[in-house]
């Protein structure tokens, strides 16, 4: 069974989703009314995953560590409102060394600059700009400020990363991928 997606059983009337919790408690399944486009068109989803893999390699080559990249993933997921990606990338961010305090105040990172390095702040600015696509004057201001702290290679990788996590966000939101309740340590 795929760990990221519950098992889906289809019939002509509805799609039913079973999680480990459902199977363990024998509760009725939850009706799933969305097409899981990652499962429906796996070759396209595989291509998107290949892009993410290429970005990870490019980030390493551009000296962008995993913590910076996960901050970008979490921030874009916050802006798009993707619960599945927030759950996944918040855990990945903690594993990469992002502190719980940084995650707790991430939506207000501009008001708590002492918690984030200049590189992290530049990356977050790029992520927000790519995600929101503000007016040209605002975009130019953010771009210029970020360029003071990141190289051309880093800028390129960050733009690709924000664009790609935004695509993953939309796949999960449109597919209505569930967030499973976890037992906390």
């Amino acid at each position: 069974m795929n760990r990221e997606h519950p098992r889906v059983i289809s019939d002509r009337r509805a799609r039913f989703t079973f999680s480990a919790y459902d199977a363990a408690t024998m509760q009725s399944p939850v009706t799933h009314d969305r097409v899981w486009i990652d499962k429906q068109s796996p070759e396209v989803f595989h291509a998107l995953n290949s892009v993410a893999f290429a970005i990870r390699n490019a980030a390493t080559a551009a000296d962008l560590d995993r913590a910076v990249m996960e901050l970008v993933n979490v921030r874009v997921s916050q802006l798009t409102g993707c619960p599945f990606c927030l759950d996944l990338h918040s855990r990945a961010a903690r594993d990469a060394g992002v502190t719980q305090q940084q995650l707790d105040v991430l939506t207000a990172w501009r008001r708590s600059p002492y918690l984030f390095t200049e590189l992290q702040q530049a990356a977050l600015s790029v992520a927000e700009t790519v995600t929101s696509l503000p007016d040209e004057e605002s975009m130019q201001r953010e771009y210029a400020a970020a360029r003071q702290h990141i190289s051309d290679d880093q800028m390129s990788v960050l733009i690709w990363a924000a664009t790609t996590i935004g695509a993953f966000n939309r796949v999960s939101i449109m597919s209505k991928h569930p967030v499973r309740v976890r037992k906390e340590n």
Side-chain angles (χ1 to χ4, degrees):
M1 184 151 121
N2 186 332
R3 297 175 116 173
E4 294 182 2
H5 302 289
R7 183 168 43 105
V8 175
I9 300 174
S10 298
D11 70 9
R12 291 184 187 131
R13 294 164 291 178
R15 288 181 163 231
F16 296 105
T17 305
F18 293 90
S19 68
Y21 179 77
D22 297 329
T25 62
M26 300 301 286
Q27 290 184 357
S28 299
V30 177
T31 301
H32 185 71
D33 60 349
R34 303 275 181 95
V35 172
W36 284 17
I37 63 173
D38 53 331
K39 302 296 183 198
Q40 191 67 36
S41 303
E43 66 286 348
V44 178
F45 190 67
H46 178 71
L48 186 58
N49 276 307
S50 294
V51 171
F53 185 75
I55 291 167
R56 181 179 275 224
N57 289 337
T60 300
D63 201 28
L64 289 168
D65 66 28
R66 199 75 217 133
V68 169
M69 300 306 290
E70 290 302 337
L71 282 169
V72 167
N73 289 336
V74 173
R75 186 64 187 127
V76 172
S77 298
Q78 288 174 335
L79 293 168
T80 62
C82 182
F84 183 86
C85 295
L86 279 167
D87 183 57
L88 178 71
H89 290 287
S90 292
R91 286 182 286 146
R94 285 190 295 274
D95 290 345
V98 174
T99 68
Q100 187 61 52
Q101 186 179 26
Q102 286 175 307
L103 289 172
D104 291 344
V105 301
L106 189 55
T107 58
W109 69 268
R110 290 177 190 272
R111 292 189 175 124
S112 33
Y114 48 87
L115 292 178
F116 300 92
T117 67
E118 289 179 337
L119 174 63
Q120 290 170 334
Q121 291 176 56
L124 291 168
S125 175
V126 170
E128 288 182 354
T129 301
V130 170
T131 305
S132 64
L133 293 174
D135 63 86
E136 189 61 33
E137 184 179 320
S138 298
M139 189 180 312
Q140 188 58 37
R141 183 177 56 250
E142 292 296 325
Y143 197 96
R147 291 290 304 269
Q148 294 177 22
H149 305 287
I150 59 178
S151 69
D152 290 350
D153 287 341
Q154 291 171 328
M155 177 65 81
S156 178
V157 169
L158 291 167
I159 291 170
W160 276 110
T163 300
T164 304
I165 189 62
F168 278 112
N169 292 161
R170 285 156 177 81
V171 167
S172 288
I173 290 167
M174 293 308 299
S175 298
K176 208 171 185 180
H177 290 155
V179 176
R180 292 192 181 146
V181 176
R182 292 190 306 275
K183 289 184 180 178
E184 298 297 327
N185 296 345

